[in-house]
Amino acid sequence: AKNCVVIGVKDEQSVIGEYPHAFIELKEEFNGREGFALAAIKKEVAKKIPVRDRPRDDDYYVSEIVYAKEGKIDREETVKRLKK
């Protein structure tokens, strides 16, 4: 992965009101092989992160990550792109 971020997104089905969603920006070498890359990432996450803290299977997205002017990840804009 080139970069990734996990953001809590509101979800009324969740006990705590949100679920983690993983936004993954892949390196160009993975173009056309997104499924392979996602499977490898999910496998590593399953090894290292407790079930309660990891994104659900459908909550991994290959997406452009948006950055604010100061270079930090713009979480709000990144999530907005998901909803479009």
Side-chain angles (χ1 to χ4, degrees):
K2 180 178 175 183
N3 201 356
C4 66
V5 62
V6 175
I7 301 172
V9 177
K10 289 184 182 187
D11 188 322
E12 293 177 11
Q13 295 177 347
S14 170
V15 175
I16 60 171
E18 60 183 32
Y19 268 111
H21 286 56
F23 296 86
I24 302 157
E25 199 170 36
L26 295 176
K27 295 178 182 177
E28 287 184 26
E29 64 198 64
F30 288 101
N31 285 349
R33 298 176 39 208
E34 290 87 356
F36 169 79
L38 280 177
I41 290 167
K42 288 177 183 180
K43 186 175 178 180
E44 285 300 308
V45 167
K47 287 182 191 176
K48 299 178 180 182
I49 309 284
V51 173
R52 70 171 193 272
D53 296 335
R54 65 177 106 138
R56 296 171 292 193
D57 222 28
D58 292 337
D59 294 337
Y60 288 81
Y61 306 96
V62 174
S63 174
E64 179 185 358
I65 296 172
V66 183
Y67 295 87
K69 292 177 186 174
E70 62 273 0
K72 293 182 178 183
I73 293 172
D74 188 332
R75 294 169 180 267
E76 191 174 309
E77 276 301 313
T78 299
V79 171
K80 277 184 188 176
R81 289 183 179 212
L82 168 68
K83 295 178 181 179
K84 287 183 180 178

